[in-house]
Amino acid sequence: MEQHFAVIGNPVGHSLSPIMHEAGYAQTGLAAHYQRFQVEEGDLRQAVNGLKALGFTGWNVTVPYKEKIIPFLDELTPEARLTGAVNTVKVLNGRLVGHNTDGAGFVRSIQQVLPDLTGKKAVILGAGGAARGIALSLAKAGMEILILNRTPERAQALAVELQAQNTRADWGEMQAGKWLQEADLVVQTTSVGLHDEVLPLSLQGIASEALVVDIIFSPAETPFLCEARNLGCRTLNGLGMLLHQGALAWEFWLGTPAPLAAMEEALYNG
Ligand code: ATR
């Protein structure tokens, strides 16, 4: 029987998940479809129940519902519980199971360039929902973490949470400092750069061995990433994270390895 998958959020018009997953179905011969549904906040409960009633195998959840969907689910995986956010739902024996593949997807994407993260230093710019998921996953991978944010109190709250899990973590304002010479990884998690705005921070003085990541993928190169490249750093945008969170969702839904090459090809060329 044909299987059905979807992404729900608002907006979802620009989501690349349908292209990526459909390419995977074509590659593996799986009889499945992946759709996108824009849902208004007041309709979220009904949308979730509707997807279940219609027999969907599972779906992704994007902004702004990753936290708001939780009350409508029956159980959460440890990853979803830890991050307090759900990006993947599976219907299992009639129960809705919420999972989170964003953080692990991010770690997989950077491990293509930095395979061993243990004991290395990560600097995260921003302290919102995206930063939190990434910070928790990098901490789990054994990294030492510095959170820098425009509003330092939010950076502090996140750093204290990491410290409570025995991670070496610190915080500060978003400004240059000696961290620039020491960072092995710098991750830009704010929305600054989506419309070509420039962060109130320059990477001047960064060690050229550092890997610099911006989780934005459109534009493919934000002004931040462009500066990092000009300073000689290796750079990655958010497409790798998108690919790997999708592959991990595939594995969660179907229990089989995702056809990574086909999904990647669709994302980069689709
Ligand atoms: P998300 O869930 O996408 O991470 P969020 O929770 O709203 O979104 O967090 C947005 C992040 O971008 C925050 O770290 C925010 O900084 P503040 O905590 O100081 O608000 C950061 N941010 C947004 N606009 C910014 C700007 N113009 N300059 C610097 N940081 C900015």
Side-chain angles (χ1 to χ4, degrees), residues 63 67 125-132 148-152 154-155 174 188-192 197-200 215:
V63 177
E67 287 149 23
L125 307 179
R132 186 164 178 279
L148 301 178
N149 197 42
R150 179 177 60 180
T151 312
R154 289 184 83 191
M174 200 184 292
Q188 198 304 100
T189 71
T190 79
S191 53
V192 180
E197 329 88 297
V198 177
L199 265 191
I215 65 166

Side-chain angles (χ1 to χ4, degrees), residues 67 83 102-103 106 123-139 145-149 154-155 158-159 161-162 174 187-191 215 241:
E67 287 149 23
T83 47
D102 284 332
F106 178 81
V123 178
I124 298 183
L125 307 179
R132 186 164 178 279
I134 287 170
L136 289 167
S137 297
L138 292 177
I145 294 174
L146 171 64
I147 314 277
L148 301 178
N149 197 42
R154 289 184 83 191
L158 181 48
E161 194 184 341
L162 293 167
M174 200 184 292
V187 190
Q188 198 304 100
T189 71
T190 79
S191 53
I215 65 166
M241 180 183 183

Side-chain angles (χ1 to χ4, degrees), residues 85-166:
V86 163
N87 79 325
T88 306
V89 175
K90 173 162 80 169
V91 185
L92 187 66
N93 303 323
R95 290 172 63 77
L96 298 178
V97 185
H99 183 41
N100 194 309
T101 67
D102 284 332
F106 178 81
V107 170
R108 273 204 195 178
S109 78
I110 60 165
Q111 279 181 325
Q112 315 277 320
V113 182
L114 276 186
D116 185 15
L117 303 177
T118 317
K120 298 230 163 77
K121 293 185 174 148
V123 178
I124 298 183
L125 307 179
R132 186 164 178 279
I134 287 170
L136 289 167
S137 297
L138 292 177
K140 207 169 134 196
M143 293 193 87
E144 192 179 308
I145 294 174
L146 171 64
I147 314 277
L148 301 178
N149 197 42
R150 179 177 60 180
T151 312
E153 293 75 21
R154 289 184 83 191
Q156 178 175 10
L158 181 48
V160 167
E161 194 184 341
L162 293 167
Q163 288 166 353
Q165 293 170 20
N166 293 322

